[in-house]
Amino acid sequence: PPPPPPAPWGESPTMFCFLVALVMGNEPELLRRQLSAGSSIFGCDSYAIFSEQAMIIGPRAGKMVKSIEIGGPMHTSQSNTPDFIRAWTKIKELGLHKNSDWSVKVDPDAVFLPTVLRPKLAAHKVSTDSDMVFFKNCPKFKSMQGPLEVYSKAAALVFFDKLESCTGQDYMMQRGEDWFFHRCLERLHCRSIEDFELLDDQYCTDVEPSCTNGMAAFHPFKTVDAHVKCLETAKN
């Protein structure tokens, strides 16, 4: 069946969602399945995919969905901050974050349900134009885990504007992207909100997600079969 049309603008709150994907391995096929299901970032008001080389994901609403090339080499390990700096720089250049209430970064192997996240965000009653906030989503570490990073328009504006002030901090560059992003937001005086009902991440809980507890995202599901099974379980 043809993929569902893009989510209509005007749903409140609006979300710009993006991910950084490898062109090799199973991530392109995961993205194609997500596109066909209208799930993950494809259920957001606007979205973008970034990869080392431009790649075609598939058709949607009469157009071909393609990734935005950011060069490489890409990293599969925790030393992936340089990859995301290239993606963030492109987001800033294109202004992709400026028209949405929330920006949401997702991992390709996360099962993400925007229809679940949207009302959770609305319930916090954040004034996204003025409140520079982001969510801590892991109770074990009291941290923002990388599979689902959610931050307000005001936080996005200051982050992308002041990104270079963080890339010059050696201690921020020593670990993975989520470590860098969390510390940069704190350096820029963004306020954190704890919400542990957003993400079920095995790297936080040490337990494989059941996909039945009403979270907005579940991680990790690296094979297509496991990803589809979790998505169907979560939707039902």
Side-chain angles (χ1 to χ4, degrees), residues 181-199:
F181 185 60
H182 189 160
R183 269 71 198 171
C184 184
L185 291 180
E186 290 182 331
R187 174 181 172 83
L188 298 174
H189 306 293
C190 295
R191 175 173 63 91
S192 66
I193 299 175
E194 291 185 351
D195 188 335
F196 304 134
E197 303 297 321
L198 300 180
L199 171 68

Side-chain angles (χ1 to χ4, degrees), residues 213-227:
N213 54 7
M215 300 285 190
F218 306 90
H219 177 267
F221 290 93
K222 296 184 179 295
T223 68
V224 170
D225 288 347
H227 199 281

